């Protein structure tokens, strides 16, 4: 009897393992966090990925929309303690059975927009919670990347200096808030008084520090797109630091000119059958389209170089053409 029970448990474990292996993408891989990630780690990862793949920033890109849905689904499950425990043990199949037994939807109980709004505003309870957090100023840096970097993808080392909060001697007032109380000023008469109340915290100071950071430029990124380093902007006491944002621009190139996902170039040729200023389009030879396997087009404008004089051989060939 004991042997049969052990075999049954082993079988159930094997089934749950197989279910996890075929159930699709690993939620931890989707959020790009380790299996033992804290909620704070997942929050930062979600903010970065949700901004990157949001449909409003990738109009018409079905792959980005799919990734955005996967990111929201993974975050909703892994930040729910009960669902995360079920997922860690039994995978997505366990979540489906949990939902079938009245435990909520397997993919989560929140709307994707509700999750996104809780981070970035847009209505609901998220706004109220976000307003309570003091945040430092964002730092925006214009980054002029070469056409080669934007075509192939690249990683750039950038020197960054910023203020860092350090301990300092003494105490300071912190977490200040307005409290309302009523004072009796006579029989049946009360006066409402608002008073600021603060706590006492260790003192701090700002020090300037610098370091190299790696900025990853993805293939096909366009002018105006941003690479965001969350909470790496200007710090603020008793709050979150702002964000560091690199705004991408295409640096001028000596041979090619970029227009969106298309490339333009001019080629000078000797006198021939090509008309001056003729433009030829070569499909799929332009810039890579961001978050896609497709490319734009290459437009080649031909400039014809007319000779100031002709050799006897050239004269003979021209006569043969028009004979």
């Amino acid at each position: 009897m004991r042997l049969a029970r052990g075999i049954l448990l082993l079988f159930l474990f094997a089934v749950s393992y197989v279910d996890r292996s075929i159930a699709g993408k690993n939620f931890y891989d989707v959020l790009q966090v380790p299996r033992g990630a804290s909620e704070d780690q997942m929050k930062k990862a979600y903010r970065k990925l949700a901004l990157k793949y949001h449909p409003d920033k990738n109009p018409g890109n079905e792959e980005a929309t799919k990734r955005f849905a996967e990111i929201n689904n993974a975050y909703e499950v892994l930040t729910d303690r009960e669902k995360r425990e079920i997922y860690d043990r039994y995978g997505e199949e366990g979540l489906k059975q949990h939902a079938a037994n009245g435990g909520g939807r397997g993919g989560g109980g929140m709307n994707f927009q509700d999750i996104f709004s809780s981070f970035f505003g847009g209505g609901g309870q998220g706004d109220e919670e976000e307003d309570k957090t003091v945040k430092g100023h964002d730092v925006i840096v214009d980054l002029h990347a070469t056409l080669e970097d934007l075509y192939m993808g690249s990683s750039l080392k950038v020197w960054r200096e910023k203020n860092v909060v350090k301990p300092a001697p003494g105490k300071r007032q912190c977490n200040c808030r307005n409290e309302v109380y009523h004072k009796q000023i006579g029989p049946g008469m009360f006066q409402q008084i608002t008073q600021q109340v603060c706590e006492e915290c260790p003192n701090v100071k700002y020090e300037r520090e610098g370091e190299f950071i790696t900025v990853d430029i993805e293939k096909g990124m366009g002018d105006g797109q941003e690479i965001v380093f969350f909470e790496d902007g200007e710090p603020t006491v008793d709050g979150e630091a702002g964000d560091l944002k690199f705004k991408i621009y295409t640096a001028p190139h000596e041979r090619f000119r970029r227009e969106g996902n298309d490339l333009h170039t001019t080629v000078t040729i000797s006198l021939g059958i090509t008309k001056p200023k003729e433009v030829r389009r070569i499909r799929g030879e332009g810039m890579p389209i961001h978050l896609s396997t497709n490319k734009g087009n290459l437009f080649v404008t031909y400039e014809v170089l007319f000779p100031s004089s002709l050799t006897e051989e050239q004269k003979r060939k021209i006569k043969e053409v028009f004979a």
Side-chain angles (χ1 to χ4, degrees):
M1 182 69 178
R2 183 174 299 175
L3 177 61
R5 183 180 179 186
I7 294 174
L8 178 60
L9 290 174
L10 181 61
F11 173 75
L12 290 174
F13 173 79
V15 170
S16 68
Y17 178 82
V18 172
D19 284 342
R20 288 197 297 271
S21 65
I22 65 175
K25 292 187 177 180
N26 184 295
F27 286 171
Y28 294 98
D29 291 342
V30 170
L31 286 183
Q32 299 178 11
V33 295
R35 193 171 185 83
S38 66
E39 189 169 341
D40 186 57
Q41 286 178 294
M42 288 188 287
K43 176 181 177 182
K44 290 182 179 180
Y46 172 81
R47 291 181 65 178
K48 177 181 178 180
L49 294 171
L51 278 176
K52 178 178 179 179
Y53 292 104
H54 195 280
D56 289 348
K57 287 197 172 185
N58 303 276
N61 191 323
E62 295 182 2
E63 181 63 25
T65 301
K66 180 181 177 183
R67 289 290 302 275
F68 183 72
E70 292 174 348
I71 291 162
N72 279 277
N73 189 38
Y75 179 79
E76 198 278 329
V77 170
L78 295 182
T79 53
D80 184 296
R81 183 176 300 178
E82 182 182 13
K83 292 178 182 177
R84 182 176 182 178
E85 184 177 346
I86 294 172
Y87 175 76
D88 287 345
R89 296 183 63 184
Y90 306 110
E92 288 186 75
E93 187 62 32
L95 291 172
K96 293 177 183 178
Q97 294 181 11
H98 177 65
N101 293 329
R105 294 190 295 114
M110 287 184 69
N111 178 274
F112 291 164
Q113 189 61 39
D114 292 339
I115 300 174
F116 190 81
S117 296
S118 69
F119 281 90
F120 307 106
Q125 296 178 350
D127 281 344
E128 182 179 350
E129 182 178 348
E130 197 72 21
D131 290 342
K132 296 179 181 178
T133 303
V134 179
K135 189 171 183 179
H137 293 294
D138 292 341
V139 176
I140 301 176
V141 179
D142 291 343
L143 182 60
H144 295 267
T146 66
L147 193 63
E148 289 82 1
D149 287 338
L150 292 167
Y151 190 92
M152 300 296 296
S154 180
S155 294
L156 303 180
K157 293 287 187 181
V158 178
W159 178 256
R160 158 74 170 145
E161 288 189 356
K162 64 177 182 179
N163 289 324
V164 178
V165 178
K166 298 286 188 178
K171 299 288 185 178
R172 63 183 177 86
Q173 289 187 333
C174 62
N175 301 325
C176 295
R177 60 195 179 276
N178 290 326
E179 291 188 354
V180 178
Y181 66 95
H182 296 85
K183 178 181 179 181
Q184 185 171 1
I185 57 176
M189 301 175 63
F190 295 87
Q191 181 182 13
Q192 180 174 299
I193 299 175
T194 302
Q195 184 177 8
Q196 187 180 65
V197 178
C198 299
E199 300 176 12
E200 193 175 72
C201 296
N203 202 10
V204 295
K205 62 180 179 180
Y206 288 118
E207 289 185 2
R208 201 74 174 168
E209 290 187 357
E211 63 177 346
F212 280 103
I213 59 176
T214 302
V215 181
D216 294 322
I217 297 177
E218 298 175 346
K219 291 182 181 180
M221 294 191 77
D223 290 344
Q225 282 192 271
E226 294 180 342
I227 301 173
V228 182
F229 290 75
F230 293 102
E231 299 182 13
D232 205 13
E234 287 299 319
T236 184
V237 179
D238 298 328
E240 293 181 355
D243 299 329
L244 172 61
K245 301 178 180 180
F246 288 93
K247 186 167 287 189
I248 300 298
Y249 292 99
T250 306
H253 194 274
E254 60 180 9
R255 184 175 178 184
F256 294 97
R257 173 173 53 86
R258 181 182 185 183
E259 288 187 4
N261 295 317
D262 297 328
L263 290 175
H264 295 255
T265 188
T266 300
V267 176
T268 301
I269 60 175
S270 60
L271 183 62
I273 61 173
T274 302
K275 297 178 182 179
K277 303 294 184 182
E278 180 180 351
V279 179
R280 185 171 299 176
R281 180 178 64 178
I282 306 175
R283 293 181 178 274
E285 292 298 330
M287 290 292 295
I289 298 176
H290 191 227
L291 302 179
S292 173
T293 57
N294 298 323
K295 291 183 179 180
N297 300 317
L298 172 63
F299 293 86
V300 181
T301 301
Y302 291 98
E303 292 284 358
V304 178
L305 180 63
F306 291 94
S308 57
S309 61
L310 298 175
T311 65
E312 291 300 324
E313 179 66 18
Q314 290 172 329
K315 292 177 182 180
R316 186 184 65 79
K317 290 183 176 181
I318 291 175
K319 288 179 180 180
E320 291 177 353
V321 171
F322 293 101

